Amino acid sequence: MAGLKTIIALSFVLAIGFLLVILSSALWKNYFPLLVVATYVIAPLPNWICSRCSNPDDFIDNAGSALVDFGRFSTGFLVLMGIALPTLLAHCGIIEYPAMIMSIVGGLLIYGTIISFTMFFQEEQEF
């Protein structure tokens, strides 16, 4: 069970991540780095949806592993896209390189916080 200190620490890290992404957009007056927030917010959704849809029987442990693997693949693709999109935008000259670095670091902090929240506050199943 996670305590109040865990909630406060994760909220602080999430706020820093959002601050970095917003500053990467606002300091250079180019709002393309905000697309990273969308990719990191929707990144855990395929994993969550596919793990809920597979719902294997209590007697069969390996049923529905293809759906879970597809969810993990989609989540990995979205996380990689959150890193590759600012890199591509900086390479094309649409955003500046410091904005790229701030956007990637902020996005990784956001995604890491989302994953940490789900790990700390996951309900344990009793059999």
Side-chain angles (χ1 to χ4, degrees), residues 46-63:
N47 199 10
W48 179 71
I49 290 170
C50 291
S51 66
R52 295 288 182 225
C53 291
S54 68
N55 196 11
D57 225 3
D58 288 339
F59 301 111
I60 304 171
D61 289 334
N62 295 331

Side-chain angles (χ1 to χ4, degrees), residues 18-19 38 40 45 52 55 59 67 96 105 116 125-126:
F18 275 118
L19 178 71
Y40 282 116
L45 290 180
R52 295 288 182 225
N55 196 11
F59 301 111
L67 192 59
E96 301 290 326
V105 170
S116 298
Q125 297 178 354
E126 296 180 11

